[in-house]
Amino acid sequence: MDCIFCKIVNKEIPSTIVYEDEEILAFEDVNPVAPVHILVIPKKHIRSLNDLTAEDSELVAKMMLVIQNIAKEKNIADAGYRVVNNCGELGGQAVHHIHFHLLGGREMLWPAG
Ligand code: AMP
């Protein structure tokens, strides 16, 4: 499968990993839009939020806790941060392997663009 994030999971493409366990990988976004910009992904290929099933519930909950821990480690937890999932074409999803953006270190605008 030609998925860039699967290649990152398999270490076929280099990345700056900030967290890894059996199911989850977190790494620096190569094109950061904030001082802290980390992508949190499941190691198994799930195309988008549309493709999650009830069986993925625990995995998604774990990903949220990974995000919470990284926010603490990066010292952005108290100030606040944003978690983003882009889903599908109108949602702006460019990489079709589900991922959550952790953005912090600056004030976030609302509404999002
Ligand atoms: P999205 O638009 O939500 O699909 O976001 C995809 C994100 O993946 C973008 O923020 C890209 O900068 C990021 N990205 C693409 N390729 C890489 C890579 N090889 N390493 C790290 N981040 C990447």
Side-chain angles (χ1 to χ4, degrees):
M1 192 190 304
D2 197 27
C3 169
I4 192 165
F5 286 178
C6 284
K7 288 180 179 165
I8 287 175
V9 167
N10 294 327
K11 314 282 165 67
E12 294 165 27
I13 290 178
S15 68
T16 304
I17 293 171
V18 298
Y19 176 83
E20 180 169 18
D21 65 27
E22 281 184 6
E23 297 174 290
I24 295 166
L25 188 71
F27 53 95
E28 305 272 2
D29 195 294
V30 77
N31 186 23
V33 298
V36 175
H37 188 171
I38 290 161
L39 300 174
V40 179
I41 70 170
K43 286 190 170 178
K44 82 167 179 177
H45 186 84
I46 299 171
R47 204 176 141 74
S48 79
L49 198 146
N50 281 340
D51 300 287
L52 286 174
T53 69
E55 287 171 11
D56 300 314
S57 301
E58 196 176 336
L59 174 63
V60 173
K62 284 180 184 171
M63 290 170 72
M64 292 301 126
L65 292 176
V66 166
I67 289 169
Q68 181 197 81
N69 279 328
I70 295 171
K72 286 177 189 162
E73 282 170 16
K74 296 287 183 185
N75 291 316
I76 59 170
D78 289 343
Y81 53 89
R82 182 168 290 171
V83 178
V84 174
N85 171 258
N86 297 325
C87 180
E89 190 178 346
L90 291 188
Q93 183 176 5
V95 177
H96 297 283
H97 180 132
I98 192 171
H99 51 280
F100 294 95
H101 298 254
L102 168 59
L103 300 162
R106 66 168 170 83
E107 188 172 357
M108 297 295 153
L109 303 177
W110 194 260

